Amino acid sequence: MTSYEEKLALARGFHAALVKRDWAAIRNLLADDATWVLPGENRISAPAEGADAVVERAQLIASFGLNFELKHILVSRHNVALSLHNTADREGLRLDEYLSTVFFLKGDKIGAIETYLSDLPGMNAFFAH
């Protein structure tokens, strides 16, 4: 079982790597068979399967110029989540959403990620196909 401190470090590490666009650091936090699921019908909502696909998803999201403001790190008995406020402006569109990105742990790595959003229609518009 991963300790409380290890869960916090993993969550902080993922957020810091995302903000810095440090894709190698994100890859090092992931199990080889990691997945990431986001809701919606847009460019970023299809499931990403495999660690490399998860990193590519993070790169795609970041390529839209998002600011990833960390609000809280939330810890459960077995997993950990980031509470974020994401904002961005693109071609007259404004993204302003709150979300939780839940990391389901597999040993000391992230085995799966699932993201929960406050504004699905806004996300669909901002990341439209």
Side-chain angles (χ1 to χ4, degrees):
M1 179 186 284
T2 306
S3 74
Y4 173 74
E5 292 77 17
E6 290 168 326
K7 289 174 189 169
L8 290 178
L10 189 145
R12 283 189 190 111
F14 187 95
H15 179 260
L18 186 60
V19 168
K20 294 177 188 174
R21 281 40 173 185
D22 185 346
W23 312 122
I26 288 178
R27 176 61 183 88
N28 288 335
L29 298 172
L30 301 171
D32 291 339
D33 60 348
T35 60
W36 191 352
V37 177
L38 291 106
E41 295 181 21
N42 57 70
R43 283 189 251 187
I44 67 168
S45 63
E49 298 182 1
D52 292 337
V54 169
V55 171
E56 289 172 12
R57 174 64 44 80
Q59 290 172 321
L60 178 59
I61 293 168
S63 75
F64 284 84
L66 270 68
N67 297 308
F68 305 101
E69 179 189 359
L70 179 61
K71 302 300 276 180
H72 303 281
I73 297 175
L74 309 166
V75 178
S76 76
R77 181 170 181 84
H78 300 289
N79 302 299
V80 64
L82 297 174
S83 172
L84 301 172
H85 180 211
N86 290 354
T87 56
D89 291 291
R90 177 180 74 83
E91 299 172 9
L93 296 171
R94 173 89 176 138
L95 181 72
D96 187 352
E97 66 184 3
Y98 292 88
L99 59 112
S100 290
T101 295
V102 180
F103 301 126
F104 297 93
L105 303 183
K106 185 175 184 179
D108 63 348
K109 299 281 188 178
I110 298 169
I113 304 170
E114 187 170 359
T115 298
Y116 301 80
L117 299 167
S118 66
D119 182 11
L120 190 54
M123 179 194 158
N124 282 335
F126 190 82
F127 293 105
H129 291 284

